[in-house]
Amino acid sequence: MTFTHDDQRHERLGMPEAIVCQGKDDASVNLILTELIAKPDCPTLFTRLPQDMFDRLDSALTNELDYDSLSATGILHGPLPKNSGSIAVVTAGTSDLRIAGEAKRTLEFSGFSTSLYSDVGVAGIHRLFDRIDEIKTHDVVIAVAGWDAALASVLGGLVAQPLIAVPTSVGYGVAEGGGTALNSMLASCGQGVLVTNIDNGFGAACGAIRMLNQLKSSD
Amino acid sequence: MTFTHDDQRHERLGMPEAIVCQGKDDASVNLILTELIAKPDCPTLFTRLPQDMFDRLDSALTNELDYDSLSATGILHGPLPKNSGSIAVVTAGTSDLRIAGEAKRTLEFSGFSTSLYSDVGVAGIHRLFDRIDEIKTHDVVIAVAGWDAALASVLGGLVAQPLIAVPTSVGYGVAEGGGTALNSMLASCGQGVLVTNIDNGFGAACGAIRMLNQLKSSD
Amino acid sequence: MTFTHDDQRHERLGMPEAIVCQGKDDASVNLILTELIAKPDCPTLFTRLPQDMFDRLDSALTNELDYDSLSATGILHGPLPKNSGSIAVVTAGTSDLRIAGEAKRTLEFSGFSTSLYSDVGVAGIHRLFDRIDEIKTHDVVIAVAGWDAALASVLGGLVAQPLIAVPTSVGYGVAEGGGTALNSMLASCGQGVLVTNIDNGFGAACGAIRMLNQLKSSD
Amino acid sequence: MTFTHDDQRHERLGMPEAIVCQGKDDASVNLILTELIAKPDCPTLFTRLPQDMFDRLDSALTNELDYDSLSATGILHGPLPKNSGSIAVVTAGTSDLRIAGEAKRTLEFSGFSTSLYSDVGVAGIHRLFDRIDEIKTHDVVIAVAGWDAALASVLGGLVAQPLIAVPTSVGYGVAEGGGTALNSMLASCGQGVLVTNIDNGFGAACGAIRMLNQLKSSD
Amino acid sequence: MTFTHDDQRHERLGMPEAIVCQGKDDASVNLILTELIAKPDCPTLFTRLPQDMFDRLDSALTNELDYDSLSATGILHGPLPKNSGSIAVVTAGTSDLRIAGEAKRTLEFSGFSTSLYSDVGVAGIHRLFDRIDEIKTHDVVIAVAGWDAALASVLGGLVAQPLIAVPTSVGYGVAEGGGTALNSMLASCGQGVLVTNIDNGFGAACGAIRMLNQLKSSD
Amino acid sequence: MTFTHDDQRHERLGMPEAIVCQGKDDASVNLILTELIAKPDCPTLFTRLPQDMFDRLDSALTNELDYDSLSATGILHGPLPKNSGSIAVVTAGTSDLRIAGEAKRTLEFSGFSTSLYSDVGVAGIHRLFDRIDEIKTHDVVIAVAGWDAALASVLGGLVAQPLIAVPTSVGYGVAEGGGTALNSMLASCGQGVLVTNIDNGFGAACGAIRMLNQLKSSD
Amino acid sequence: MTFTHDDQRHERLGMPEAIVCQGKDDASVNLILTELIAKPDCPTLFTRLPQDMFDRLDSALTNELDYDSLSATGILHGPLPKNSGSIAVVTAGTSDLRIAGEAKRTLEFSGFSTSLYSDVGVAGIHRLFDRIDEIKTHDVVIAVAGWDAALASVLGGLVAQPLIAVPTSVGYGVAEGGGTALNSMLASCGQGVLVTNIDNGFGAACGAIRMLNQLKSSD
Amino acid sequence: MTFTHDDQRHERLGMPEAIVCQGKDDASVNLILTELIAKPDCPTLFTRLPQDMFDRLDSALTNELDYDSLSATGILHGPLPKNSGSIAVVTAGTSDLRIAGEAKRTLEFSGFSTSLYSDVGVAGIHRLFDRIDEIKTHDVVIAVAGWDAALASVLGGLVAQPLIAVPTSVGYGVAEGGGTALNSMLASCGQGVLVTNIDNGFGAACGAIRMLNQLKSSD
C-alpha cells in the first residue's frame, strides 16, 4: 500500500492537515505516522484515534504524538503558530464533550483560542443564561448537542455571531445515532444556523477556520 | 353501508364522542350526521372536517353544526357541561394554530376552560418569558410546535405541570411532514414530556381530559 | 472535567434528581458519585447503570447505592418522602420488565406507590381481562410494550385514567429497536394515549409524577 | 401498444384473472376492455378502477362491467361458479371498507361466500367480542385495519382459523401511508398472522383462495 | 420475577406452546425451563435459543431438551402426536437454512411432515425447475429467502398451493437486516403470496398449522 | 436567465445531448428550444417532457420536435447517424412502458437499433422463456421493472450479456415510488447486474451507449 | 387571530426581518402585510410567496411589495442600507435558480453585493474551472445544488473562503425531495463545508450575514 | 447439510464461480472447501472471507487457497486463462481499498488485467487530474468511493468508457453504512453511471466481465 497525502491542502485552503484514523487498519496508521514523523514541516492532526487503537499502534511512533484520549486526537509537529480569533464551544451535556473536544483540539492545533461552555442544555435554561454574555464575546460560536439539540435553536436567537451546530450521536431510542439532533438543527427556527455531519467536531472547527481566515484576510 | 357508533365511549371513558371526517367520503359523513342529529342526548365533535368538505356536505345537516374553519371542527348538540380544570395551549408559530385550535375546541366542547398562548417560539425566547408566569397558572400545558419543536424542551424545564407535546407537520425540507418535530419532542431533555401523534390536537386534548377527570375523581 | 449539576430541578419542577449513566465513561460516573455522595440533602437516582458498568466502578462509591440490576438503576440518599398517588405499571411480556422496572424504581424513589402487572399482552387477552379491574384502581396507568404494542390501544379503550405508553426495543425484524412499537402507540386508536421515547421508563415515571404533583397541588 | 395477457393463470393457479387499472392510462384500459369483452370464456376482475377513471373510459365498454365504486372494482363475464368455503372479512373502521370491499369482491367473483364484520376496532373491544363467535364460523379470516392495526393481534389470539392481515393506508402522522399498520401486523404477537402489502385486499383474497382450493383438493 | 404462561394457547388456537428465548436473560430462561420441565403434559418449543446461550444455561435443565443448534430450537416433552398434512420448506441459499430450520422444527414438533428444498434460488433457475414438481405435491409451501427474495415471486407463479414467504436478514448493503427481502415479498407480483416478519420461521410454521388444522376440521 | 449548454458533451463523452424538462418552468424550456432550434448541428433529446407541458409550450417551437407522448421525449435535429450495436429492452409489465420508452427513444436517437420485449414479468415465467433466445441475440440487455423487480434477478441468471436494470416507480404500498424495486435490483443474486436511479431510462441508455461505443472503439 | 412579530430580531441579531408565507393562509398574510405596511421603519422580506398566492392576495397590499416570481420573494420598505462584503452564489443547474434566487434576494435586501454563477455542475467540470478564479474573489461562497450535490465537495477543495452548501429538492428517484443532496453535502470530503436545510436559500443568506457582520464588527 | 453448487454458472454466463463466505458458519465453509478442492477443473473465488474466519478454518484446507487479507478473498485452482481487456479501478480514499481489492482480485482471477488508482478523491481534485489520461486508456472504469461519493460524478464527466460505481460503507454520521454514497451515485449527474450494491466490489467486477466478454464475442 502506498499513501498519497494531499500535502497542498494547508497552503491551498488554509485548513489543517489531518488524518482520519477510523476505518483504517493499524498497519496503515503506523505507515502514515512513519511517513509524517519524517516531515517536521508538515504539522498534522490525527482524528478519531481512540485510546484502544492508540494502544495497539507502534509506541515508538505514538510517542511522537501529543495525544488526548477524550477527543481521540493526536497532534504531530504542532501546534501551528498563534492566529487571531476566538471561538466559543458550547455543549448541552457532558456526553457531548468527546465531540466538543475534537473541535477544540482542531482549533487549538490551528493556533486559535477557544473557550468551552459545557452542560448548558436548555432543560435547565438558567445555566445557559448565566453564561450567555461571556459566550457572546467570541468571534464564532460552535454548539454541540445530541438528543433534541434544542440548544442550537435557543442560541440562534441569542447570539449574533456565526453559529455552527454539531449534532452528536448521544441518545437512545429515536435519538440513537444522532439523526434527530441533526434534523432538529437543520430545521432550527434560529436564522442562519449552519450544520455539520453528526459527530463532526473537526468539520465544525474547519468551518470556523475558514471564517477566521477570511476575517484576517479582509483586515 | 351501516355505521356502528361506539356510543358507550363517553360513559366508559369520560372522553368526548368524536367522528374523524378525513378518510371518509361525503356520503358517509352525511349519513353519520343524519343519524347523530337525531340523537340530541349524544353531543358529538366532528374533527378534520375542512372547509371544502364542509361546503360539499348537505347544508340542511351542516346547519346543525357549530363549525370552526381554522380548526376544521364542528360541534353537534354541544358543548358538554362546564368542568373544573384549565389548560394552557401554547404554540411556537402562527402556522401551528390549526392544530392548537383542534385541541382548544375539543377541550371547550368537553367543558374545560382554555387559554391560547401563540407565537412564543424559542427563536425569540423573550416572547416566551413574557408569558411564562401566566402559563404556569393552568392545570395542564399543551405545547404545539413544528420544525425543530424546541419549544417543548424549553417549556419542560420551566413548568412543573403535566406537559403534553403535539408535533405539527409545519415545515419544509427535513421538517416536512412533522417527523423531525415528533422525534425532537420524544428525545426532549425536558423530563416527563409526553407526546402525541403528529398533528393530533384532538389526542392531546383527550390526554388532558383523562388527567383532569382523574383530578376531579380524586377530590 | 467539571460536572455542572442542575441542582434546582427538584425544587423547580418537583422532578427527581437523576443522572443517566449510559454515554458517560466510568471516570465521569465515579466523579459524579463522589460529588453527590457528599451531598446527603440531594437524593439522586442513577439510571441506565447496567451491571457490567456497576461492577467496573469504584466499589467504595457504589456501596452507597441501593442498586437494582434488572432495571439498571441505583438510588443514592433515597427514597424521597412518601407521596400520595398510586400508579399501575402494565407490561406485555417478560422482556419488557427492564423498562417497566426503570419506571417503577423512579416512582418508588419519588415516594409513590406502584403495582406491577406483567405478562398481560393481548395475544392472550383473557390475561388482561383477569386483572383489568385491579388496574383501574390506580391514579395513572403506564403501559410498557414492544413488538406491535397493541396492549396500549386495548388499554386505551378500557381505562379512563391517564395512560402513558412506553414503547420498548424488544423484538426482531421490523420490531427491532422499538420503532414499530413507538409508531403503533402514537397511531393508537385509543383516545388520549400519551407516548414517551423508546425504552424511556424514567420519562414515563416523570410524566406520571407531574400529574400526581398537580393532583396534590389542586387539592 | 400490444397487450400480452397471462391467460393461463386461472388454469395454472386457480387464481382469478385480474387487471390492475391504476398506473395504466385510459387508452390502455379501453384497449384491454375491448380485447377481453370479446372473450366471454375469460371472466376477469378489474381492480383499482376508481370512479373518476371509470367515468372517463368508453361507456360502450364499461357498460359491460358489473362495477362497484366503493371497492373500485369491475367484474366482466363473472362471477365464476360457486365454490365451497366461506371467509370472514373484518375491519377496524369505516375508512377500511374500500380495501375490505376489494377483498370481498374478489372472493365473490371467484365464487366464495363472504361475510363482512365492520367497525370492530379494539379501542371499543366490546364491539369485537359481540361478534367473535360468528366470525369463528368461517374457514378463513381476513383482518383489514389501518392506524396501529391492533385488531390483527387481538384476533390472532381469539381465532384458530388461518388469519390474513391487510394493512391499510388509513391514518395521518406516523400512520400515513400504512407503514405503521404494516409493521404492527408483521410484528404481531398473535401467532401465525400472515400479512399482505398495504391496501392489498385483492392479494388477501388470493391468499384465501389458495387455501380454500387446497381444502377442496384435499377432500 | 414470576412467569405467567399462556397455557391455554394450544387448546384455544391449536398452536404450539412456545417460548422465545432471545431478549430474556439466562436466569429467566432457567426459571421457565424449571417450571415447564415439571409439566410433562405441556410440550413446549424453545425458539431463538442460540448455542452460546444454551451452553450458559443450567445443564441439568438443558439436558431435558431435544436441542438443534442450526435452528436454535429446543423441544421439551415433544413432539406432539402425528398430524396429517405436509409442508415444503424451500430456501434460496444455504445461509437461509437457520430460518428454514426454525420453520421445519416447529412443524415437526407439531406433528406435521416436512420436506426441505434448499439452494434453489432463481439466479440459477434450472435448480428450481428440477424440483418444482416435487414441491407441488405438498399442502403448503414456505419460501425462505434473503437478498432480493425473488424466489417468492417465481414460486408464486408456479405453485397453486398456499404460499408463505419468510424474508431473512441474510445479505449486506441494501439487503442488510432483511428489509429489502421483506418489501420484495410484500410487493411480489405473484398473486396471494402471504408474508411474515423478517426471520420469522416460527410464524410461518404457525400460519401453515392454522391452514392444516382448518383442512382437518373441514374434512 | 441565461442558459449555459454543456455543448462539448457529445464530443467529449460520445453521449447524446439532452435536456431534462421536468423541474424547469415553461419559459425556460421555450428559451432553450429557441436557442437549440437555431443550432441544426446540435441534435438534442428532450426528456421528461410530458404531454401537458408539451401542450403549454409555444407551438411554433414544439412543431420542430419529433415528439412521443408515452415516453415523454422530443427529438430535435435528430436522429444521429446509424451506429452498430443492438439493445434488448425488456419490461415486466405494461406500466413500465413509459420508462422503457425513454430508454428506447434515447438509443434510437443515438443511432442504435433496439427491440422491445414487454409484459414478460416472472409471475408468469413461461412468457419470459418464450422470448429468452431472441433476447440473447442482442449486445446489451436493459431490464425495466417496478414492484419486486424479480425480472432482473431471473434475467441475470439467464443472459451472459451486460445487463442494466432500471427500477420503476410503478406499484403501491411498499412498492410506491420504486424504492423496493431499486433495492431488489441492487441486492440481486444475479451476478453483475448494474443499476440506475429509479425511472432513469435515459441513464440506462447512456450506460449502454458507453458500452457500445467502447465495443466500436476496440474493434 | 393576532400576529406577534419578533420585532427585536434585526436589532438583536443583525438578521433581516422576514415572514415565511408558506403554511399561512391568505387571510393571515393579508393581515401581516397590512400591519407591516404601516411600519415604514420595519423593512421586511417575504419569502416562499409563490406567484399563485401573490395573485390571490389583496392587490392594494401587494402593490407595496418589490416582488420577484422566480425566487418567490417580496421586499417591503427595502432594501436596507449598503453593507460591505460580497457573496458568490454558485448553482449546479438551472433548476436550482429558485433557491439560489432566494439567497441572492435575501442578501441584496440586507445590503450586500452578490454575484451569481449558474450551471457550473461538475458533470462538465470545465464550466466550473472557467469561473473559479472569479468565484474566489468573494468573501463567502454559497453552493446550491440538488441531485448528488457533488458541486459542494469539489468547491470545498478549491476555495478557501467560508462555504455554505444548500441542498435543493431538485431531482427524481432517490434524489426526490433533496435528501440525497443534503446527505451528500453533510458527508462531503471537502473540509469545513457547512450545510442548511433543504431548499433553505434564506437560511444560507442569514448564515453569510452573520459572518459578514462579524467581519465588520471585528474591523 | 448438503451443498448444491450452481456449477453451470461459468459455462452459462461466463461469470467466475464464487462462494460468499459471510453469513455461512465455519463448518459450512470447510465442507464447501473440501468439495471444491476435489474438483481441480472448477476454479473458484471465495469472497468475504475475513482474516479471522480464515484463521478459524481447517488449515489443511485453507493452505490450498491463494489468500489476500485486505480484500478478504481466496482463490482456489486459479486464476483462469488470460483474457483481453483491461480495467481501471479508481478509489477516493485508502479506506476504500478493501472493496477495490475485491473487484481487482475478481478480475485478476478471471484473467483480466487491472490497474489501481487510489486516493484520488475530489476534495483535492488535482490528484485526479494528474492521473486521468492514464485512467482513460482502459476499457472499463470502476469507481469505488464512500462518504459523498462525488468521485463517480466527476469521473462520469471526464471518461467516455463504461463506468461502474461501487458505493462503500466507509464514513460516519449520515455516511454510515454507505447509503449516502449509494444514493449519490444513483443520482449522479454524470450520464450513464451504473451502480452496484454497497461494498459489492465482486458485482462490479462481474458487470465489467459481462462487458469485456461481449466485446470479445463481437470481435
Side-chain angles (χ1 to χ4, degrees), chain G residues 122-125 129 146-150 153-154 156-158 172 174-175 180 182-191, chain H residues 122-125 129 146-150 153-154 156-158 172 174-175 180 182-191:
Chain G
V122 299
I125 208 167
F129 284 121
W147 292 100
D148 58 347
S153 291
V154 174
L158 293 176
Y172 62 79
V174 298
T180 292
L182 170 64
N183 286 339
S184 184
M185 284 168 161
L186 287 165
S188 172
C189 300
Q191 290 176 327
Chain H
V122 299
I125 207 166
F129 284 120
W147 293 101
D148 58 347
S153 291
V154 174
L158 293 176
Y172 61 81
V174 298
T180 291
L182 170 64
N183 286 339
S184 184
M185 283 167 162
L186 287 165
S188 172
C189 300
Q191 289 176 327

Side-chain angles (χ1 to χ4, degrees), chain H residues 1 10 25 34 38 43 46 49 57 59 61 72 77 84 86 91 112 128 140-142 155 158 165 194 198 210 215:
Chain H
M1 202 202 76
H10 187 245
D25 58 13
T34 307
F46 289 76
L49 174 55
L57 296 175
S59 64
L61 301 171
H77 308 316
S84 64
S86 77
T91 79
F112 297 96
L128 177 60
V140 177
V141 179
I142 295 177
L155 268 176
L158 293 176
L194 300 175
I198 298 162
R210 285 179 184 263
L215 236 136

Side-chain angles (χ1 to χ4, degrees), chain E residues 7-213:
Chain E
D7 52 11
Q8 311 168 15
R9 194 156 46 182
H10 187 244
E11 181 185 351
R12 199 172 73 242
L13 303 177
M15 222 57 75
E17 304 292 338
I19 302 291
V20 183
C21 298
Q22 178 183 330
K24 297 197 173 65
D25 56 14
D26 297 355
S28 301
V29 180
N30 276 329
L31 172 69
I32 293 170
L33 273 169
T34 306
E35 289 197 20
L36 292 177
I37 286 170
K39 300 188 182 175
D41 57 334
C42 186
T44 302
L45 178 72
F46 289 77
T47 65
R48 308 211 149 230
L49 174 56
Q51 184 75 54
D52 58 342
M53 184 187 240
F54 183 84
D55 292 343
R56 286 194 315 265
L57 295 177
D58 182 345
S59 64
L61 301 171
T62 54
N63 281 343
E64 303 294 318
L65 289 176
D66 159 15
Y67 181 69
D68 175 61
S69 179
L70 179 63
S71 63
T73 54
I75 292 175
L76 180 70
H77 309 316
L80 295 166
K82 264 271 166 282
N83 259 307
S84 64
S86 78
I87 301 99
V89 180
V90 186
T91 80
T94 48
S95 304
D96 301 316
L97 286 175
R98 189 173 66 83
I99 301 307
E102 188 183 274
K104 204 164 178 301
R105 286 268 290 178
T106 303
L107 290 162
E108 288 166 359
F109 166 70
S110 304
F112 296 96
S113 106
T114 66
S115 308
L116 180 66
Y117 303 86
S118 67
D119 259 327
V120 296
V122 300
I125 207 164
H126 57 284
R127 298 180 299 179
L128 177 60
F129 284 121
D130 287 353
R131 316 195 72 179
I132 193 68
D133 288 337
E134 202 182 332
I135 291 171
K136 284 180 178 175
T137 62
H138 295 81
D139 296 303
V140 177
V141 178
I142 295 177
V144 182
W147 292 101
D148 59 347
L151 174 63
S153 291
V154 174
L155 269 176
L158 294 175
V159 308
Q161 279 76 10
L163 176 56
I164 302 174
V166 187
T168 68
S169 56
V170 170
Y172 61 80
V174 299
E176 191 174 337
T180 291
L182 170 64
N183 286 339
S184 184
M185 283 168 162
L186 287 165
S188 171
C189 299
Q191 289 176 329
V193 178
L194 301 175
V195 186
T196 70
N197 191 10
I198 297 162
D199 286 341
N200 194 0
F202 172 75
C206 289
I209 291 170
R210 285 179 184 264
M211 298 176 198
L212 295 165
N213 282 348

Side-chain angles (χ1 to χ4, degrees), chain C residues 122-123 125 129 147-148 150 153-154 157-158 174-175 180 183-184 186-190, chain D residues 122-123 125 129 147-148 150 153-154 157-158 174-175 180 183-184 186-190:
Chain C
V122 299
I125 207 166
F129 284 122
W147 292 100
D148 59 348
S153 291
V154 174
L158 293 175
V174 298
T180 291
N183 286 339
S184 184
L186 287 166
S188 171
C189 299
Chain D
V122 299
I125 207 166
F129 283 120
W147 292 100
D148 58 347
S153 292
V154 174
L158 294 175
V174 299
T180 292
N183 286 339
S184 183
L186 287 165
S188 172
C189 300

